[in-house]
Amino acid sequence: MVKLSVNLNKIALVRNSRGEGIPDLKHFAELVLNSEAVGITLHPRPDARHVTSSDVLQISKLISTHHANKELNLEGNPFTRPNKDYLGFLNIVEKALPHQVTLVPDQNHQLTSYYGWDLKENFTKLQKVVERLKKKNIRVSLFLDHKVKNLSLAKKLGADRIEIHTGYFAKNFSTKNQEKALLGYEKIAEKAKSLNLGLNAGHDLNLANLALFLKQVRGVQEVSIGHALVAESLARGFSRVLGDYLKLIKEVESGGNGGSGLGMS
């Protein structure tokens, strides 16, 4: 069964734009944790532009205290350094003790994760990190490109899973190159299965393209989705909330108090 882990970074990004705690990240975390989703994905970065170190620790505590059947997946670059706003990725991990860590080679300036690890070039560094995480009984996943080479190195590193960057598939969805793109992912899935590596997927998956990907690429255990989910929520809910505001104003103007009990929570 394919499981969904919901990335809440974009909720935190909107909150941080005003610095007033709205929207409330914990509220949205509870919505996810009370759903059938497997859990929550968070990707803290050194510039703290979305989820912060304290966010991670708060949600980790929420899960361990009230939602023991759910999982926390932390994404990030293990080689980032601490600063005044950021504990450092591995330090955050060892405080939060998530169920899964997805190691991603993103740089500080990147808006999102554009590419995966070069396993050969980074083998020695990654091996030390994987060993450190495994000692904490944390499931380790490596973020890899759709054209990953030497996939067997992921197994040699001791990783439990790989997460394949699905941006290339999304870019070619509904184009003449769609089938060719999917074929590449199918081969990765088959190779991962032969190596006894679990398979996760993420990046630019959405309500339009997800079904096709899951039907064609067999063996996916987990998809991590955040940006599209938030964008689609805005698109599908905006008109309703707009109508609520118009209704409230009309009620007040007609002599009512506008007390419809509407609100974010």
Side-chain angles (χ1 to χ4, degrees), residues 70 190 238:
K70 299 297 184 179
E190 291 171 1
F238 190 88

Side-chain angles (χ1 to χ4, degrees), residues 205-252:
L205 294 174
N206 56 40
L207 287 172
N209 61 33
L210 179 60
L212 176 63
F213 186 83
L214 295 179
K215 287 177 182 177
Q216 294 290 112
V217 183
R218 311 303 295 180
V220 176
Q221 292 172 267
E222 180 179 303
V223 291
S224 176
I225 301 177
H227 178 82
L229 194 151
V230 172
E232 288 159 344
S233 297
L234 288 171
R236 298 175 73 178
F238 190 88
S239 294
R240 176 181 173 183
V241 175
L242 173 60
D244 289 340
Y245 274 99
L246 293 170
K247 180 181 178 182
L248 182 150
I249 292 169
K250 288 180 180 178
E251 287 179 356
V252 173

Side-chain angles (χ1 to χ4, degrees), residues 31-177:
L31 291 178
V32 174
L33 296 171
N34 288 321
S35 76
E36 293 183 4
V38 69
I40 290 170
T41 291
L42 301 174
H43 189 146
R45 285 185 167 89
D47 60 9
R49 66 179 180 270
H50 32 59
V51 290
T52 64
S53 302
S54 60
D55 287 330
V56 173
L57 298 181
Q58 181 186 43
I59 291 179
S60 172
K61 183 177 180 180
L62 176 66
I63 292 174
S64 63
T65 304
H66 300 292
H67 300 275
N69 62 324
K70 299 297 184 179
E71 292 193 354
L72 175 61
N73 171 46
L74 292 186
E75 299 179 340
N77 189 327
F79 308 118
T80 52
R81 296 180 179 180
N83 59 49
K84 64 182 180 65
D85 299 314
Y86 178 71
L87 293 176
F89 185 70
L90 290 180
N91 291 331
I92 296 172
V93 167
E94 291 182 338
K95 286 180 179 292
L97 294 177
H99 301 80
Q100 177 173 269
V101 165
T102 302
L103 300 176
V104 182
D106 57 345
Q107 303 301 311
N108 294 355
H109 65 278
Q110 287 181 221
L111 290 177
T112 187
S113 303
Y114 298 117
Y115 50 83
W117 292 103
D118 181 325
L119 294 177
K120 185 177 181 180
E121 181 179 335
N122 294 282
F123 187 89
T124 302
K125 292 197 304 180
L126 283 172
Q127 189 173 43
K128 293 177 181 178
V129 173
V130 172
E131 289 175 355
R132 180 173 170 179
L133 296 174
K134 298 292 281 185
K135 286 179 180 178
K136 298 290 184 179
N137 296 315
I138 296 170
R139 185 169 70 238
V140 179
S141 179
L142 299 174
F143 192 69
L144 302 176
D145 286 334
H146 69 285
K147 289 186 176 181
V148 58
K149 297 178 180 179
N150 304 314
L151 187 57
S152 60
L153 291 180
K155 188 66 177 180
K156 290 181 180 179
L157 281 167
D160 302 288
R161 297 185 185 183
I162 59 171
E163 179 176 327
I164 293 299
H165 187 297
T166 45
Y168 180 73
F169 157 71
K171 181 179 179 181
N172 288 284
F173 176 67
S174 290
T175 72
K176 63 181 181 180
N177 296 319

